[in-house]
mmCIF file of all heavy atoms in Angstrom:
data_model
loop_
_atom_site.group_PDB
_atom_site.id
_atom_site.type_symbol
_atom_site.label_atom_id
_atom_site.label_comp_id
_atom_site.label_asym_id
_atom_site.label_seq_id
_atom_site.Cartn_x
_atom_site.Cartn_y
_atom_site.Cartn_z
ATOM 1 N N PHE A 34 0.963 -12.730 8.734
ATOM 2 C CA PHE A 34 1.043 -13.097 7.318
ATOM 3 C C PHE A 34 -0.107 -12.484 6.518
ATOM 4 O O PHE A 34 0.108 -11.935 5.430
ATOM 5 C CB PHE A 34 1.041 -14.620 7.169
ATOM 6 C CG PHE A 34 1.004 -15.073 5.748
ATOM 7 C CD1 PHE A 34 2.152 -15.075 4.988
ATOM 8 C CD2 PHE A 34 -0.188 -15.492 5.167
ATOM 9 C CE1 PHE A 34 2.125 -15.483 3.652
ATOM 10 C CE2 PHE A 34 -0.232 -15.898 3.849
ATOM 11 C CZ PHE A 34 0.934 -15.893 3.087
ATOM 12 N N PHE A 35 -1.318 -12.578 7.036
ATOM 13 C CA PHE A 35 -2.460 -12.028 6.311
ATOM 14 C C PHE A 35 -2.389 -10.505 6.223
ATOM 15 O O PHE A 35 -2.797 -9.915 5.218
ATOM 16 C CB PHE A 35 -3.775 -12.470 6.950
ATOM 17 C CG PHE A 35 -4.089 -13.922 6.710
ATOM 18 C CD1 PHE A 35 -4.394 -14.756 7.770
ATOM 19 C CD2 PHE A 35 -4.081 -14.455 5.436
ATOM 20 C CE1 PHE A 35 -4.689 -16.088 7.558
ATOM 21 C CE2 PHE A 35 -4.361 -15.786 5.207
ATOM 22 C CZ PHE A 35 -4.666 -16.616 6.269
ATOM 23 N N SER A 36 -1.850 -9.863 7.240
ATOM 24 C CA SER A 36 -1.681 -8.409 7.170
ATOM 25 C C SER A 36 -0.635 -8.032 6.130
ATOM 26 O O SER A 36 -0.810 -7.072 5.385
ATOM 27 C CB SER A 36 -1.279 -7.852 8.528
ATOM 28 O OG SER A 36 -2.323 -7.988 9.438
ATOM 29 N N ALA A 37 0.451 -8.775 6.073
ATOM 30 C CA ALA A 37 1.484 -8.491 5.072
ATOM 31 C C ALA A 37 0.954 -8.724 3.657
ATOM 32 O O ALA A 37 1.262 -7.957 2.734
ATOM 33 C CB ALA A 37 2.714 -9.356 5.329
ATOM 34 N N ALA A 38 0.166 -9.755 3.481
ATOM 35 C CA ALA A 38 -0.438 -9.993 2.167
ATOM 36 C C ALA A 38 -1.409 -8.872 1.806
ATOM 37 O O ALA A 38 -1.506 -8.468 0.641
ATOM 38 C CB ALA A 38 -1.151 -11.336 2.154
ATOM 39 N N SER A 39 -2.095 -8.333 2.796
ATOM 40 C CA SER A 39 -2.992 -7.197 2.559
ATOM 41 C C SER A 39 -2.218 -5.964 2.147
ATOM 42 O O SER A 39 -2.666 -5.195 1.286
ATOM 43 C CB SER A 39 -3.808 -6.889 3.809
ATOM 44 O OG SER A 39 -4.555 -8.003 4.196
ATOM 45 N N ILE A 40 -1.050 -5.771 2.756
ATOM 46 C CA ILE A 40 -0.198 -4.635 2.390
ATOM 47 C C ILE A 40 0.213 -4.750 0.919
ATOM 48 O O ILE A 40 0.228 -3.758 0.185
ATOM 49 C CB ILE A 40 1.049 -4.575 3.300
ATOM 50 C CG1 ILE A 40 0.646 -4.306 4.736
ATOM 51 C CG2 ILE A 40 2.052 -3.551 2.807
ATOM 52 C CD1 ILE A 40 -0.016 -2.987 4.979
ATOM 53 N N PHE A 41 0.524 -5.951 0.476
ATOM 54 C CA PHE A 41 0.869 -6.148 -0.935
ATOM 55 C C PHE A 41 -0.277 -5.715 -1.840
ATOM 56 O O PHE A 41 -0.076 -4.979 -2.816
ATOM 57 C CB PHE A 41 1.227 -7.612 -1.186
ATOM 58 C CG PHE A 41 1.388 -7.944 -2.645
ATOM 59 C CD1 PHE A 41 2.529 -7.579 -3.326
ATOM 60 C CD2 PHE A 41 0.378 -8.599 -3.336
ATOM 61 C CE1 PHE A 41 2.678 -7.870 -4.676
ATOM 62 C CE2 PHE A 41 0.516 -8.900 -4.674
ATOM 63 C CZ PHE A 41 1.677 -8.531 -5.352
ATOM 64 N N PHE A 42 -1.479 -6.159 -1.534
ATOM 65 C CA PHE A 42 -2.613 -5.826 -2.392
ATOM 66 C C PHE A 42 -2.984 -4.349 -2.322
ATOM 67 O O PHE A 42 -3.380 -3.760 -3.328
ATOM 68 C CB PHE A 42 -3.814 -6.709 -2.063
ATOM 69 C CG PHE A 42 -3.666 -8.114 -2.556
ATOM 70 C CD1 PHE A 42 -3.634 -9.162 -1.659
ATOM 71 C CD2 PHE A 42 -3.539 -8.391 -3.901
ATOM 72 C CE1 PHE A 42 -3.490 -10.470 -2.101
ATOM 73 C CE2 PHE A 42 -3.384 -9.682 -4.355
ATOM 74 C CZ PHE A 42 -3.360 -10.731 -3.447
ATOM 75 N N VAL A 43 -2.853 -3.740 -1.153
ATOM 76 C CA VAL A 43 -3.133 -2.304 -1.049
ATOM 77 C C VAL A 43 -2.139 -1.514 -1.893
ATOM 78 O O VAL A 43 -2.514 -0.587 -2.619
ATOM 79 C CB VAL A 43 -3.102 -1.843 0.421
ATOM 80 C CG1 VAL A 43 -3.027 -0.330 0.530
ATOM 81 C CG2 VAL A 43 -4.323 -2.356 1.148
ATOM 82 N N ALA A 44 -0.869 -1.875 -1.819
ATOM 83 C CA ALA A 44 0.139 -1.183 -2.623
ATOM 84 C C ALA A 44 -0.112 -1.386 -4.112
ATOM 85 O O ALA A 44 0.046 -0.450 -4.914
ATOM 86 C CB ALA A 44 1.533 -1.668 -2.239
ATOM 87 N N MET A 45 -0.517 -2.573 -4.504
ATOM 88 C CA MET A 45 -0.812 -2.823 -5.920
ATOM 89 C C MET A 45 -2.041 -2.052 -6.376
ATOM 90 O O MET A 45 -2.079 -1.537 -7.494
ATOM 91 C CB MET A 45 -1.020 -4.326 -6.157
ATOM 92 C CG MET A 45 0.240 -5.129 -6.137
ATOM 93 S SD MET A 45 1.433 -4.645 -7.387
ATOM 94 C CE MET A 45 0.542 -5.007 -8.877
ATOM 95 N N ILE A 46 -3.055 -1.951 -5.522
ATOM 96 C CA ILE A 46 -4.264 -1.205 -5.877
ATOM 97 C C ILE A 46 -3.940 0.263 -6.064
ATOM 98 O O ILE A 46 -4.357 0.885 -7.045
ATOM 99 C CB ILE A 46 -5.353 -1.410 -4.810
ATOM 100 C CG1 ILE A 46 -5.891 -2.827 -4.864
ATOM 101 C CG2 ILE A 46 -6.482 -0.405 -4.976
ATOM 102 C CD1 ILE A 46 -6.725 -3.225 -3.663
ATOM 103 N N VAL A 47 -3.185 0.832 -5.144
ATOM 104 C CA VAL A 47 -2.844 2.251 -5.250
ATOM 105 C C VAL A 47 -1.932 2.490 -6.442
ATOM 106 O O VAL A 47 -2.110 3.462 -7.185
ATOM 107 C CB VAL A 47 -2.192 2.752 -3.936
ATOM 108 C CG1 VAL A 47 -1.643 4.157 -4.097
ATOM 109 C CG2 VAL A 47 -3.192 2.694 -2.810
ATOM 110 N N ALA A 48 -0.973 1.606 -6.661
ATOM 111 C CA ALA A 48 -0.042 1.786 -7.778
ATOM 112 C C ALA A 48 -0.742 1.652 -9.124
ATOM 113 O O ALA A 48 -0.419 2.372 -10.072
ATOM 114 C CB ALA A 48 1.091 0.777 -7.679
ATOM 115 N N SER A 49 -1.706 0.773 -9.221
ATOM 116 C CA SER A 49 -2.377 0.583 -10.509
ATOM 117 C C SER A 49 -3.451 1.627 -10.768
ATOM 118 O O SER A 49 -3.791 1.891 -11.923
ATOM 119 C CB SER A 49 -2.984 -0.815 -10.589
ATOM 120 O OG SER A 49 -4.009 -0.948 -9.636
ATOM 121 N N SER A 50 -3.982 2.227 -9.717
ATOM 122 C CA SER A 50 -5.044 3.217 -9.925
ATOM 123 C C SER A 50 -4.505 4.627 -10.101
ATOM 124 O O SER A 50 -5.218 5.493 -10.607
ATOM 125 C CB SER A 50 -6.030 3.191 -8.759
ATOM 126 O OG SER A 50 -5.387 3.578 -7.580
ATOM 127 N N ALA A 51 -3.275 4.863 -9.717
ATOM 128 C CA ALA A 51 -2.705 6.208 -9.842
ATOM 129 C C ALA A 51 -2.155 6.405 -11.251
ATOM 130 O O ALA A 51 -1.514 5.528 -11.805
ATOM 131 C CB ALA A 51 -1.607 6.410 -8.817
ATOM 132 N N LYS A 52 -2.410 7.553 -11.802
ATOM 133 C CA LYS A 52 -1.911 7.846 -13.148
ATOM 134 C C LYS A 52 -0.449 8.301 -13.104
ATOM 135 O O LYS A 52 0.357 7.896 -13.917
ATOM 136 C CB LYS A 52 -2.765 8.939 -13.778
ATOM 137 C CG LYS A 52 -4.217 8.571 -13.883
ATOM 138 C CD LYS A 52 -4.553 8.203 -15.276
ATOM 139 C CE LYS A 52 -6.046 8.093 -15.423
ATOM 140 N NZ LYS A 52 -6.513 6.785 -15.632
ATOM 141 N N THR A 53 -0.138 9.158 -12.164
ATOM 142 C CA THR A 53 1.237 9.633 -12.010
ATOM 143 C C THR A 53 1.688 9.367 -10.582
ATOM 144 O O THR A 53 0.876 9.250 -9.679
ATOM 145 C CB THR A 53 1.341 11.137 -12.295
ATOM 146 O OG1 THR A 53 0.456 11.827 -11.416
ATOM 147 C CG2 THR A 53 0.968 11.438 -13.737
ATOM 148 N N TYR A 54 2.974 9.300 -10.402
ATOM 149 C CA TYR A 54 3.573 9.046 -9.097
ATOM 150 C C TYR A 54 3.015 7.776 -8.456
ATOM 151 O O TYR A 54 2.713 7.747 -7.278
ATOM 152 C CB TYR A 54 3.374 10.237 -8.152
ATOM 153 C CG TYR A 54 3.883 11.534 -8.701
ATOM 154 C CD1 TYR A 54 3.009 12.548 -9.045
ATOM 155 C CD2 TYR A 54 5.244 11.727 -8.883
ATOM 156 C CE1 TYR A 54 3.477 13.739 -9.558
ATOM 157 C CE2 TYR A 54 5.721 12.920 -9.392
ATOM 158 C CZ TYR A 54 4.836 13.926 -9.728
ATOM 159 O OH TYR A 54 5.299 15.093 -10.236
ATOM 160 N N SER A 55 2.868 6.738 -9.238
ATOM 161 C CA SER A 55 2.249 5.524 -8.721
ATOM 162 C C SER A 55 3.120 4.833 -7.671
ATOM 163 O O SER A 55 2.611 4.349 -6.663
ATOM 164 C CB SER A 55 1.928 4.565 -9.859
ATOM 165 O OG SER A 55 3.112 4.173 -10.519
ATOM 166 N N LEU A 56 4.428 4.777 -7.895
ATOM 167 C CA LEU A 56 5.287 4.116 -6.920
ATOM 168 C C LEU A 56 5.356 4.892 -5.611
ATOM 169 O O LEU A 56 5.332 4.309 -4.538
ATOM 170 C CB LEU A 56 6.698 3.947 -7.494
ATOM 171 C CG LEU A 56 6.861 2.867 -8.555
ATOM 172 C CD1 LEU A 56 8.262 2.864 -9.106
ATOM 173 C CD2 LEU A 56 6.515 1.521 -7.974
ATOM 174 N N GLU A 57 5.422 6.207 -5.718
ATOM 175 C CA GLU A 57 5.492 7.017 -4.508
ATOM 176 C C GLU A 57 4.189 6.930 -3.727
ATOM 177 O O GLU A 57 4.191 6.794 -2.497
ATOM 178 C CB GLU A 57 5.793 8.481 -4.843
ATOM 179 C CG GLU A 57 7.176 8.708 -5.414
ATOM 180 C CD GLU A 57 7.249 8.486 -6.922
ATOM 181 O OE1 GLU A 57 6.219 8.122 -7.535
ATOM 182 O OE2 GLU A 57 8.332 8.659 -7.477
ATOM 183 N N GLY A 58 3.070 6.992 -4.420
ATOM 184 C CA GLY A 58 1.772 6.891 -3.755
ATOM 185 C C GLY A 58 1.564 5.546 -3.110
ATOM 186 O O GLY A 58 1.036 5.446 -2.002
ATOM 187 N N ALA A 59 1.966 4.486 -3.803
ATOM 188 C CA ALA A 59 1.825 3.140 -3.245
ATOM 189 C C ALA A 59 2.708 2.964 -2.023
ATOM 190 O O ALA A 59 2.290 2.376 -1.022
ATOM 191 C CB ALA A 59 2.173 2.102 -4.299
ATOM 192 N N THR A 60 3.919 3.489 -2.094
ATOM 193 C CA THR A 60 4.839 3.359 -0.966
ATOM 194 C C THR A 60 4.340 4.130 0.249
ATOM 195 O O THR A 60 4.321 3.604 1.368
ATOM 196 C CB THR A 60 6.238 3.858 -1.367
ATOM 197 O OG1 THR A 60 6.677 3.132 -2.513
ATOM 198 C CG2 THR A 60 7.223 3.666 -0.239
ATOM 199 N N ILE A 61 3.907 5.350 0.034
ATOM 200 C CA ILE A 61 3.438 6.173 1.150
ATOM 201 C C ILE A 61 2.172 5.595 1.771
ATOM 202 O O ILE A 61 2.046 5.501 3.002
ATOM 203 C CB ILE A 61 3.230 7.629 0.698
ATOM 204 C CG1 ILE A 61 4.584 8.269 0.407
ATOM 205 C CG2 ILE A 61 2.470 8.431 1.729
ATOM 206 C CD1 ILE A 61 4.502 9.609 -0.274
ATOM 207 N N SER A 62 1.233 5.178 0.937
ATOM 208 C CA SER A 62 -0.014 4.627 1.486
ATOM 209 C C SER A 62 0.239 3.317 2.222
ATOM 210 O O SER A 62 -0.354 3.070 3.279
ATOM 211 C CB SER A 62 -1.037 4.425 0.375
ATOM 212 O OG SER A 62 -0.578 3.477 -0.559
ATOM 213 N N ALA A 63 1.119 2.480 1.699
ATOM 214 C CA ALA A 63 1.423 1.220 2.385
ATOM 215 C C ALA A 63 2.169 1.472 3.689
ATOM 216 O O ALA A 63 1.913 0.797 4.688
ATOM 217 C CB ALA A 63 2.229 0.309 1.475
ATOM 218 N N LEU A 64 3.069 2.438 3.704
ATOM 219 C CA LEU A 64 3.791 2.740 4.938
ATOM 220 C C LEU A 64 2.864 3.288 6.011
ATOM 221 O O LEU A 64 3.023 2.989 7.203
ATOM 222 C CB LEU A 64 4.936 3.721 4.664
ATOM 223 C CG LEU A 64 6.142 3.128 3.931
ATOM 224 C CD1 LEU A 64 7.152 4.217 3.610
ATOM 225 C CD2 LEU A 64 6.780 2.023 4.745
ATOM 226 N N PHE A 65 1.896 4.124 5.610
ATOM 227 C CA PHE A 65 0.907 4.600 6.580
ATOM 228 C C PHE A 65 0.074 3.446 7.120
ATOM 229 O O PHE A 65 -0.235 3.394 8.313
ATOM 230 C CB PHE A 65 -0.014 5.650 5.957
ATOM 231 C CG PHE A 65 0.530 7.048 6.022
ATOM 232 C CD1 PHE A 65 0.738 7.767 4.872
ATOM 233 C CD2 PHE A 65 0.828 7.636 7.237
ATOM 234 C CE1 PHE A 65 1.245 9.047 4.923
ATOM 235 C CE2 PHE A 65 1.325 8.919 7.303
ATOM 236 C CZ PHE A 65 1.552 9.634 6.147
ATOM 237 N N LEU A 66 -0.293 2.521 6.248
ATOM 238 C CA LEU A 66 -1.090 1.387 6.697
ATOM 239 C C LEU A 66 -0.286 0.442 7.584
ATOM 240 O O LEU A 66 -0.791 -0.058 8.592
ATOM 241 C CB LEU A 66 -1.657 0.632 5.492
ATOM 242 C CG LEU A 66 -2.630 -0.499 5.788
ATOM 243 C CD1 LEU A 66 -3.844 0.027 6.534
ATOM 244 C CD2 LEU A 66 -3.050 -1.181 4.506
ATOM 245 N N ILE A 67 0.970 0.211 7.219
ATOM 246 C CA ILE A 67 1.837 -0.662 8.017
ATOM 247 C C ILE A 67 1.996 -0.124 9.430
ATOM 248 O O ILE A 67 1.930 -0.860 10.409
ATOM 249 C CB ILE A 67 3.220 -0.811 7.344
ATOM 250 C CG1 ILE A 67 3.120 -1.647 6.077
ATOM 251 C CG2 ILE A 67 4.237 -1.424 8.294
ATOM 252 C CD1 ILE A 67 4.353 -1.594 5.210
ATOM 253 N N SER A 68 2.200 1.175 9.536
ATOM 254 C CA SER A 68 2.491 1.767 10.844
ATOM 255 C C SER A 68 1.256 2.257 11.585
ATOM 256 O O SER A 68 1.385 2.848 12.659
ATOM 257 C CB SER A 68 3.475 2.923 10.673
ATOM 258 O OG SER A 68 2.889 3.935 9.873
ATOM 259 N N SER A 69 0.080 2.014 11.051
ATOM 260 C CA SER A 69 -1.125 2.446 11.760
ATOM 261 C C SER A 69 -1.292 1.601 13.030
ATOM 262 O O SER A 69 -1.114 0.380 12.998
ATOM 263 C CB SER A 69 -2.352 2.324 10.866
ATOM 264 O OG SER A 69 -2.674 0.972 10.668
ATOM 265 N N PRO A 70 -1.609 2.244 14.135
ATOM 266 C CA PRO A 70 -1.711 1.494 15.397
ATOM 267 C C PRO A 70 -2.777 0.402 15.373
ATOM 268 O O PRO A 70 -2.602 -0.655 15.985
ATOM 269 C CB PRO A 70 -2.055 2.570 16.423
ATOM 270 C CG PRO A 70 -1.639 3.856 15.808
ATOM 271 C CD PRO A 70 -1.773 3.679 14.336
ATOM 272 N N THR A 71 -3.861 0.635 14.672
ATOM 273 C CA THR A 71 -4.932 -0.357 14.649
ATOM 274 C C THR A 71 -4.500 -1.626 13.926
ATOM 275 O O THR A 71 -4.670 -2.738 14.440
ATOM 276 C CB THR A 71 -6.181 0.229 13.972
ATOM 277 O OG1 THR A 71 -6.554 1.416 14.648
ATOM 278 C CG2 THR A 71 -7.324 -0.757 14.006
ATOM 279 N N LEU A 72 -3.946 -1.480 12.728
ATOM 280 C CA LEU A 72 -3.513 -2.661 11.983
ATOM 281 C C LEU A 72 -2.367 -3.357 12.691
ATOM 282 O O LEU A 72 -2.331 -4.591 12.763
ATOM 283 C CB LEU A 72 -3.117 -2.300 10.550
ATOM 284 C CG LEU A 72 -2.678 -3.484 9.692
ATOM 285 C CD1 LEU A 72 -3.831 -4.438 9.472
ATOM 286 C CD2 LEU A 72 -2.101 -3.025 8.388
#
């Protein structure tokens, strides 16, 4: 649960900080984080 909540905040941080392609950047960064072996 805490990891999934972290994924939400990471996606929101990337989406809000990107000027262009915010949804694509947030999706790609969250997918990399979700599938990272360490997390």
